[in-house]
Amino acid sequence: AMSNRVASAIEGRFVHGFTWSHHAVGAAVGSTVLRRLRQDNLVEAAAARGARLLEALTASLDDHPHVGDVRGVGLLVAVELVADRATKRPFPRSDRVAEQATAAAKHHGLLVYPSAGCADGVNGDLLLLGPPLVIDDAEVDLVVSRLTEALVGF
C-alpha cells in the first residue's frame, strides 16, 4: 500500500489499520459514497453553499462585540468568540464560552460543535458548523438566523 520510505517514516506513529477496516461491506459503502458525491455534484454544491454560509454569517455577525472572526472552507465554518473584538483577546478557558454558546445554539434549534484552545492552545473559543452537503439555500439562511439569535446574549 506504500513505499518502504513512507512506511518507515510513519512506523509507530499512528495506527493505520483495524480488523474491519478492509472489510468488503465497508469498501462497498465507501464506493457508493464516492459515486453519490460525483453524481450529485456534492463537492461543488458544498463550495457554493459554503461560500453563501460564510458570507451570510460574516454579514450577520459583523458588528457583534464578541465575534472575532468568521472563517471556513466549503461547508466547514468556524465562528471565533473573543472577549475583546478590537484586540481579539480570547475569553479565559475557565469561562467555557464555547460550551455556553453551544447550549444557546441548541436552545435555538441549531447544533454546533464547540472547540477551545484556538488562541494559544488553552484559551480561545470557536463554534464549528458542519452542515450536510445537501443543505439548501433556505436551510443556510436558517442556520445563520439561529446562530445569530443564539449569540445575542454574548
Side-chain angles (χ1 to χ4, degrees), residues 15-74:
V15 177
H16 58 279
F18 295 97
T19 303
W20 298 102
S21 66
H22 302 92
H23 195 278
V25 173
V29 169
S31 178
T32 300
V33 168
L34 290 173
R35 185 172 57 253
R36 287 300 301 266
L37 285 169
R38 287 187 207 104
Q39 284 176 346
D40 297 342
N41 296 314
L42 292 178
V43 173
E44 295 81 3
R49 294 300 188 291
R52 178 178 163 78
L53 177 61
L54 189 62
E55 181 180 326
L57 275 173
T58 300
S60 183
L61 300 172
D62 185 50
D63 60 352
H64 193 288
H66 295 295
V67 173
D69 191 24
V70 179
R71 56 185 178 267
V73 175

Side-chain angles (χ1 to χ4, degrees), residues 73-96:
V73 175
L75 282 168
L76 183 60
V77 175
V79 176
E80 184 176 6
L81 302 174
V82 295
D84 184 314
R85 182 184 180 107
T87 64
K88 306 285 195 236
R89 180 176 48 86
F91 287 101
R93 184 66 207 118
S94 60
D95 288 356
R96 300 180 57 81

Side-chain angles (χ1 to χ4, degrees), residues 4 11 24 29 61 72 76 90-91 100 104-105 108 111-112 121-122 133-135 141 144 151 154:
N4 285 336
E11 187 175 11
V29 169
L61 300 172
L76 183 60
F91 287 101
Q100 291 179 48
H108 284 86
L111 297 178
V112 299
V122 175
L133 298 179
V134 294
I135 192 170
D141 294 341
V144 172
L151 294 179
F154 288 86

